[in-house]
Every structure is written in structure tokens, then in C-alpha cells.
């Protein structure tokens, strides 16, 4: 089994002969192919109803089964991954045709992919590690952001609760940092606390005034005779001054 080529030779437009050249697909060809390209190769030819190795650098082994070989013989390229002598290999197979286009066999090319598999495995592990680090970093940043949001809100909620329970310090103010929504919330709370504090102060002053007035009214109501005696000298003095006027 080999490859042959023929080229016509002409002189001054006249056919004077032909040149034929070719090479054999013997074992030497496949050995040279492996040495030159660093891959194993095998040729399977049709024998009876099956495909059998014609020449191979795989020590008459193959990475393909008969269904795969027949699929390649039908004209479909076949790609597989398997192990040969504990090596992780990739296999490519396609049909070999004669000069008339009829398939006569299947060429099998086997390449050691251990290096690529190792690199792929390392890349997968690296991606997993980077993914885990990204998740951890994301959770850490999210935690910081959440604390920055929750802390002032919680502080404001506690202050409001203290005011609602009647034991709060209305002079308490929240720190306003930045110009975000949290800062606006703190600023709004401070304005609210200031107005409530002013209102409570006004109510306290009014209560003190009313308490003093009520105390005086209570004295008048409880001891009217004493109050009358207290006011009589003033009344008599007014009458005398009025009588002395011509």
C-alpha cells in the first residue's frame, strides 16, 4: 500500500512521456512520521468485514474500537480521549481514500495530552481557588458595607426607642458622615430630636408656670380669711387717702 503520482511530460506542446513517483506506507514511513512530529500513527485497512492494522507505531494497539473505525470510514471525523500505557491521549481518525474517492482505510493519529491535561487540571484548580477567594473577598466587603449601613440605622433606632420609652436623652445627636442616604437619615433624626427637645422644654416651662399659679390659687381657696386680713390694711389705706383728697 502506498502513494503514487504521475505527471505528463511535454516538449513543444507534444506529449513525450510521463514521470511517476511515489512512496510506500510501510512501517518505516510511520516510524519516520512519529520521529518527525512526535505523535503515534496507525493505518487500518479493510479486511473482510472489519478494519485491521496495516502499520502502526502503537505496537499493534489502537485507541479506537470497530464502531469508531467504521464511523471514520464512513467519512465522519472521529475525536476521542483515552489512555494508552497509562498515558492520557487524544485520538483523531479519518478515512483514507484511493484515487477514485473510495475509502480504503482509516488513519489514526494519537497524541499524548498528559501535559495539556495537567495544565488544564492546574488551571481548573487555580480557577476554583480564585473563585473561592473572590467569594470570601466579596463576603468581607459585603460585611463591611452592611455594617456601615446597619450601624447608624441601629443607633438611630435605639435612640428613638429611648425617646419613646421616656428615658431618652433629647440632647443626643447622631454623627453625620458623608452625603449618602444614611447621612440624610442621621441629619433628619438630629432635626427631629432638636424639635422634640425644644417642644419638651417649652412644655416644661409652661408646666412650671402653671404649677406656681395653681399653688397661689390653692392658698386663696384654702385660707380666704387670712388672705382677707392680708389685703385689709391695703384697702383701708386706699380709703383714707381717698377721704383726704378735697
Amino acid at each position: 500500500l502506498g502513494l503514487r503520482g504521475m505527471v505528463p511530460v511535454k516538449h513543444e506542446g507534444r506529449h513525450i512521456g510521463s514521470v511517476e513517483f511515489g512512496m510506500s506506507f510501510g512501517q518505516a514511513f510511520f516510524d519516520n512520521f512519529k520521529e518527525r512530529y512526535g505523535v503515534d500513527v496507525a493505518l487500518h485497512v479493510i479486511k473482510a468485514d472489519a478494519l485491521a492494522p496495516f502499520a502502526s507505531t502503537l505496537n499493534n494497539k489502537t485507541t479506537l474500537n470497530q464502531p469508531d473505525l467504521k464511523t471514520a470510514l464512513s467519512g465522519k471525523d472521529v475525536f476521542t480521549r483515552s489512555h494508552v500505557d497509562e498515558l492520557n491521549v487524544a485520538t483523531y481518525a479519518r478515512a483514507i481514500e484511493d484515487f477514485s474517492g473510495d475509502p480504503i482505510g482509516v488513519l489514526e493519529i494519537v497524541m499524548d495530552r498528559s501535559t495539556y491535561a495537567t495544565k488544564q487540571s492546574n488551571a481548573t484548580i487555580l480557577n476554583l481557588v480564585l473563585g473561592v477567594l473572590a467569594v470570601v473577598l466579596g463576603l468581607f466587603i459585603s460585611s463591611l458595607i452592611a455594617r456601615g449601613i446597619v450601624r447608624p440605622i441601629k443607633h438611630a433606632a435605639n435612640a428613638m426607642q429611648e425617646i419613646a420609652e421616656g428615658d431618652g436623652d433629647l440632647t443626643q445627636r447622631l454623627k453625620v458622615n458623608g452625603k449618602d442616604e444614611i447621612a440624610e437619615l442621621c441629619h433628619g433624626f438630629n432635626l427631629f430630636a432638636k424639635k422634640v427637645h425644644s417642644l419638651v422644654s417649652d412644655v416644661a416651662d409652661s408646666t412650671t408656670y402653671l404649677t406656681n399659679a395653681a399653688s397661689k390659687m390653692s392658698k386663696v381657696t384654702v385660707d380666704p380669711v387670712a388672705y382677707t386680713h392680708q389685703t385689709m390694711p391695703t384697702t383701708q389705706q386706699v380709703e383714707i387717702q381717698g377721704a383726704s383728697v378735697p
Side-chain angles (χ1 to χ4, degrees):
L1 184 63
L3 179 65
R4 295 288 183 272
M6 183 177 293
V7 178
V9 178
K10 295 182 179 181
H11 177 68
E12 296 181 353
R14 296 175 55 193
H15 180 264
I16 61 174
S18 1
V19 175
E20 181 180 0
F21 58 90
M23 62 179 180
S24 174
F25 277 161
Q27 185 63 40
F29 169 82
F30 291 96
D31 293 337
N32 291 333
F33 188 92
K34 179 179 180 179
E35 182 179 356
R36 182 172 182 178
Y37 296 102
V39 296
D40 285 298
V41 61
L43 177 63
H44 304 269
V45 295
I46 302 174
K47 287 186 178 181
D49 293 333
L51 287 160
F54 173 78
S56 172
T57 61
L58 296 169
N59 297 324
N60 293 326
K61 296 179 182 178
T62 179
T63 61
L64 302 174
N65 52 33
Q66 286 296 319
D68 290 334
L69 291 172
K70 290 182 178 180
T71 299
L73 187 66
S74 67
K76 296 181 181 180
D77 293 345
V78 175
F79 297 90
T80 64
R81 295 177 182 177
S82 58
H83 289 81
V84 175
D85 296 332
E86 299 182 355
L87 292 179
N88 193 342
V89 299
T91 301
Y92 170 71
R94 67 170 303 166
I96 299 296
E97 300 174 348
D98 61 12
F99 67 94
S100 61
D102 296 328
I104 59 174
V106 173
L107 183 65
E108 176 186 4
I109 300 176
V110 181
M111 182 178 65
D112 181 8
R113 60 181 301 270
S114 300
T115 302
Y116 302 98
T118 301
K119 291 182 178 179
Q120 183 179 9
S121 177
N122 293 337
T124 301
I125 295 174
L126 179 61
N127 289 334
L128 290 175
V129 172
L130 292 177
V132 172
L133 291 178
V135 170
V136 172
L137 182 60
L139 291 175
F140 178 72
I141 295 175
S142 299
S143 176
L144 293 179
I145 295 174
R147 289 179 60 186
I149 295 174
V150 172
R151 183 179 298 173
I153 295 177
K154 188 175 181 180
H155 191 186
N158 291 337
M160 290 292 291
Q161 185 175 1
E162 290 180 3
I163 293 173
E165 293 175 351
D167 297 328
D169 181 7
L170 293 177
T171 62
Q172 182 179 2
R173 297 292 183 268
L174 298 178
K175 293 182 180 180
V176 180
N177 297 321
K179 297 181 180 180
D180 55 7
E181 290 79 3
I182 302 300
E184 293 179 1
L185 173 64
C186 296
H187 180 68
F189 173 82
N190 291 340
L191 290 178
F192 171 77
K194 182 179 179 181
K195 290 183 178 180
V196 172
H197 181 260
S198 177
L199 178 61
V200 171
S201 298
D202 292 341
V203 171
D205 293 341
S206 299
T207 301
T208 302
Y209 176 78
L210 292 174
T211 300
N212 294 334
S215 178
K216 292 180 180 179
M217 291 297 295
S218 175
K219 291 179 179 179
V220 173
T221 304
V222 174
D223 195 3
V225 177
Y227 181 78
T228 302
H229 287 308
Q230 291 176 1
T231 57
M232 281 181 62
T234 303
T235 304
Q236 291 175 355
Q237 183 178 1
V238 172
E239 290 178 353
I240 293 172
Q241 291 178 353
S244 62
V245 175

